[in-house]
Structures are given as C-alpha cells and as structure tokens.
Amino acid sequence: MHNIKVDINFAVKSSLKSGLDSIEIDEYKDKANIGYQKLLKLVDKGDIGFPKLVDQALDNITAYAKKKLGKFNDLVVVGIGGSSLGLEAIVNALLPHGYNSLTFSERGGFPRIWIADNVDPYKIQWIMKNCQPSDTLVCVISKSGGTVETVSNFNILYKWLSEEVEKPKDHIIVITDPEKGLLRKWSEENEIDTFFVPKNVGGRFSVFSPVGLVPASLLGLEIDKMIEGAKDFIATNLQQALVLSAIYIFYIEKGYKINVLMPYTSRLSKFADWYCQLWAESLGKRYDKDGKEIFFGTTPLKSVGAIDQHSLLQLFKEGPDDKVFTFIEVLNHDADKKIVSVMDEEVDYLKGKSLGELLNYELYATELALKNANRPSVKIVTDIIDEYRLGYLMMLFMYVVPIVGLYFNINPFDQPGVEEGKNYAYGLLGLRGFEDYIKKFEQGYLKLDEYII
Ligand SMILES: O=P(O)(O)OC[C@H]1O[C@H](O)[C@H](O)[C@@H](O)[C@@H]1O
C-alpha cells in the first residue's frame, strides 16, 4: 500500500485569495472529468495504450535481465527525449548517488549506467573512455527508429564495439517500434535482441514499456513494484489526478503561464526533467483539435528544493504572479542523517535535527512564504521514495497532463512543432528527400554582419 497524498490547501479560497472556492472546486473537477472521459474513450478505442501497460507480463523482461546479470560491467543506453528521460528519472530516484563509482560487487553484479542522449562529442568520448567494449552492453532506444541524435551516437558505439569484440550483436539490445523504422529493419536483418514499444504508446508516455523497464531491470531495479504502483494509482486514486488537473485547468484559464514542479529532494531532479517534456510536448499546441489556431500552452519549469531557494525563489515570490507550484515532499528520507554542532554555539539550534527534517522544514517555510505572496501551490506528499512510489507518481502525471490537454480540446499525444527544425537539419545534413529544406534554409537563415557584434 502506498501513502501518497495530494494536498491542495494552498490553492483554495480558504487559504489563498486567488484560490478556488468550494463551488469552483466542483466546477473544475467536472471540467477535469470531461478531459478524463475523452482519455478513457481513446484508451478504450485502443488509440492510446500507456494505461494498459500496467497489465503487461514482465517475465520476458526480467528473464532477459537475469540472463545478462554479471556479464557486463557497463550499460550504455542510447536514446533521447522520451527514450531517455524516463530512465534518467528512474536511475536518479532509485540508484545510490554516485552509483557508477561503486565496485562491481558493491553493485551486486549489476552494470554501471551511462546515458548517451546528446550528440555532444565530449559526453560520448568520455563514455567510451570509461567503458571497455568487451564488458559493455549497448541498449539503443528509439520509438521512431530514426532519431538523428540516437542513430549518430549508436553508429559510433557500434563501430567501437565491432573493432574490439568478435560478436558485437551479443552486446546490443534494441528497443523500438514493432514494425516501422530504420532500427527495426536493422535489428531484424542482424538478428539483434529486440524489445518493442507498443504502437499506441508515444515516447513521453513510454516509461512503463520496455523503454524504461528493460534498462531498469538490467540495473537490478524491481520493475514489478513500479508497475504495481502505477496500477494501484489507476485502480484506487484517479481522484487525485482529477483534483490536480482541476487546479491546473483553473489557473490556466486564469492566465497563469508557468507550471513549476519543485520536488524537495535531489532524487526527483530528473523526474522533473521528465515531467517538463511530458508537459511541454503534450500541452504546447498551435491548433486545437478542430484546426483553430490557439497557440495553447503553459511553460513547465523544473526547480529543486532546497537548491533553488537560493536561485529561483526570489523571482517566484516577488516576480510576476503567473506561476502555479507543485511541490513534492518526502516524509522519510533514506539514510537520514542527524546534524551535529561542532563549529560554534551559533549552530546549536541545528543539533539533533536531521537533514531530512531540515529539508522538509524548508519546504513548509517556502509553501507559507509563497502563500503569503498569494502564489498558488499544491503539494504531493509521499512517505518514501521507492520503485512503487515512483511508478505511482509517474502514472499520476501521465494522467494529469492529457486530462488537461483533452479538456482544452488539443491533442496531447502529438508533437508536430518539433518537425520543422528536424527537417532543416536533415536538409543541411544532405538526407535524400530533404533537398527542398536546404533551399528554404538558405532563404530564411539570413543574418546581417552588422548585427553580429
Ligand atoms: O524515441 P524516438 O523516436 O527516438 O524519439 C525521441 C524524441 O524525438 C522527438 O524529438 C520527439 O519530439 C520526442 O517526443 C521523442 O521522445
């Protein structure tokens, strides 16, 4: 059983001038319900598949991970966006800080983890310098199978493997679409171990597909617990998604422009990055579903407490009143440490308190300071962080975001806005079929020297 609560006190009228009154709470829950009913229809029709992932059998993934256990010192995951952010969130939340510096036996025979997302030569170079091809498993993930960053990084790593090991195919796993794309074709032709992302599961909703589960299982994480958490959320607590969506819808209608996710734990820092993609690509849309131009969306912003109290909080409290805050509180921090006072009597007030307590007191203080400035916030409270809770939280947000989008009559499941830039890049790189984009690029990318100082 979980112990995750959604606390909306500081977004309602009894505490906050701009908050929802009790009539508005019901009214906006009804609005959220409209979005939810639309989501249910899409799921029932089979158009959208992420909620159904909680019913998948996991044996093939766990058996595969077991087969590989102890055989590799390093796991390099190649992927970007929805093909890497979910895993990053999992690794950041559930593996020890500095995991890669533990010894093989301290890691229980599980590999170190490297995520090759960006095509930054610096990053890929250091991954290759740190790993030995003979001891490395490369897991390449791409739903479309052709994302240029992923294909480029993978080609470099494939060559690196081929030059050193006899059977590079034994060092590769592919995770991609079951039918389409370059990666699928290649993995089939070369008989590479391949897992599939269901066709009706888009990248940013794919963390509970092999995209997140295969690497997580290879790292020894309990993926069944993650799925159990996600499943329990759907089975028992959809109300929480409706309430959160109601609050977000209310403030979007009021013209609030920024949605801040601020966990008070570094372990959820990458979770906030994952959330930013989920929110931005799902909710930033030029057209509604009827083709009307609406330029819809609010901007997600990652912030980590208490770190950003020393960076962003000044703006949050005294800058424009255009942000809705979602805090995440962890009641019991793992390996919590008592603070000692050895420096001076001045720090005696800290003696006996723990770091976790300090973090949480700082959260309460920030909540109140923002409330006093009439800034709306909600808080998700979890007792601990583990596979189960992470699964629960991810599924909660994977419901909230489409509910908000569908209520506003936009399509939260596509991302047409990223295409134009990709096409120019393909044109510049000389990809066949994209010749027109070279011309368009040359016509549009005009810069005058006088404005380059
Ligand atoms: O998984 P892939 O097909 O390689 O896609 C990786 C990413 O590519 C694009 O930029 C999309 O906007 C993202 O939604 C997607 O997650």
Side-chain angles (χ1 to χ4, degrees), residues 58 62 90 94 213 216-217 219-228 386-388:
L58 299 173
T62 47
I90 293 171
L94 302 176
L213 299 185
S217 188
L219 291 165
L221 295 167
E222 295 185 278
I223 58 169
D224 52 332
K225 299 263 167 61
M226 273 181 64
I227 293 290
E228 199 186 319
D386 65 358
E387 280 92 338
Y388 181 95

Side-chain angles (χ1 to χ4, degrees), residues 80-83 142-145 147 203-204 277 281 415 418 422:
I80 199 163
S83 290
S142 174
K143 173 78 200 283
S144 62
T147 301
R204 58 187 177 274
Q277 185 206 14
E281 284 198 340
Q415 57 283 331
V418 303
K422 273 191 201 170

Side-chain angles (χ1 to χ4, degrees), residues 337-360:
K337 216 158 179 53
K338 287 270 182 247
I339 305 168
V340 291
S341 155
V342 286
M343 287 165 66
D344 188 276
E345 279 172 9
E346 245 185 70
V347 287
D348 270 1
Y349 72 100
L350 290 169
K351 206 158 74 186
K353 313 276 185 324
S354 72
L355 291 178
E357 274 176 280
L358 173 58
L359 202 50
N360 291 354

Side-chain angles (χ1 to χ4, degrees), residues 150-362:
T150 303
V151 168
S152 306
N153 276 334
F154 178 63
N155 272 277
I156 291 174
L157 287 167
Y158 184 59
K159 180 163 182 276
W160 172 78
L161 281 176
S162 316
E163 282 168 359
E164 293 286 327
V165 301
E166 213 176 297
K167 283 181 159 175
K169 89 182 203 90
D170 292 348
H171 292 251
I172 297 170
I173 322 172
V174 167
I175 301 175
T176 191
D177 186 89
E179 289 162 17
K180 286 189 300 200
L182 170 72
L183 207 50
R184 175 61 197 126
K185 190 167 150 260
W186 181 82
S187 83
E188 201 169 15
E189 281 167 11
N190 293 281
E191 295 174 339
I192 308 281
D193 291 341
T194 304
F195 288 86
F196 299 118
V197 194
K199 284 157 79 80
N200 58 3
V201 174
R204 58 187 177 274
F205 294 91
S206 68
V207 65
F208 296 123
S209 78
V211 170
L213 299 185
V214 169
S217 188
L218 287 164
L219 291 165
L221 295 167
E222 295 185 278
I223 58 169
D224 52 332
K225 299 263 167 61
M226 273 181 64
I227 293 290
E228 199 186 319
K231 192 170 183 160
D232 279 1
F233 159 71
I234 299 176
T236 60
N237 270 311
L238 276 171
Q239 267 308 316
Q240 293 180 335
L242 291 177
V243 169
L244 262 185
S245 309
I247 307 272
Y248 294 155
I249 292 170
F250 175 80
Y251 283 104
I252 290 172
E253 283 190 356
K254 281 199 138 199
Y256 282 60
K257 297 269 178 275
I258 298 172
N259 181 291
V260 181
L261 184 67
M262 189 166 188
Y264 264 68
T265 165
S266 291
R267 294 175 70 182
L268 295 181
S269 166
K270 298 283 179 182
F271 179 88
D273 286 329
W274 168 83
Y275 172 78
C276 283
Q277 185 206 14
L278 185 67
W279 186 278
E281 284 198 340
S282 303
L283 299 183
K285 297 290 148 79
R286 178 170 176 182
Y287 299 104
D288 71 8
K289 283 180 145 195
D290 302 318
K292 195 168 146 220
E293 194 171 67
I294 53 169
F295 293 108
F296 181 80
T298 67
T299 304
L301 179 64
K302 164 190 171 171
S303 176
V304 176
I307 298 168
D308 286 320
Q309 285 183 201
H310 305 276
S311 141
L312 297 172
L313 184 62
Q314 170 64 29
L315 171 80
F316 290 169
K317 188 163 183 309
E318 295 190 355
D321 181 13
D322 58 357
K323 300 170 197 66
V324 182
F325 299 88
T326 304
F327 295 109
I328 304 180
E329 174 181 5
V330 182
L331 293 175
N332 303 301
H333 293 271
D334 270 355
D336 203 358
K337 216 158 179 53
K338 287 270 182 247
I339 305 168
V340 291
S341 155
V342 286
M343 287 165 66
D344 188 276
E345 279 172 9
E346 245 185 70
V347 287
D348 270 1
Y349 72 100
L350 290 169
K351 206 158 74 186
K353 313 276 185 324
S354 72
L355 291 178
E357 274 176 280
L358 173 58
L359 202 50
N360 291 354
Y361 284 143
E362 293 202 64

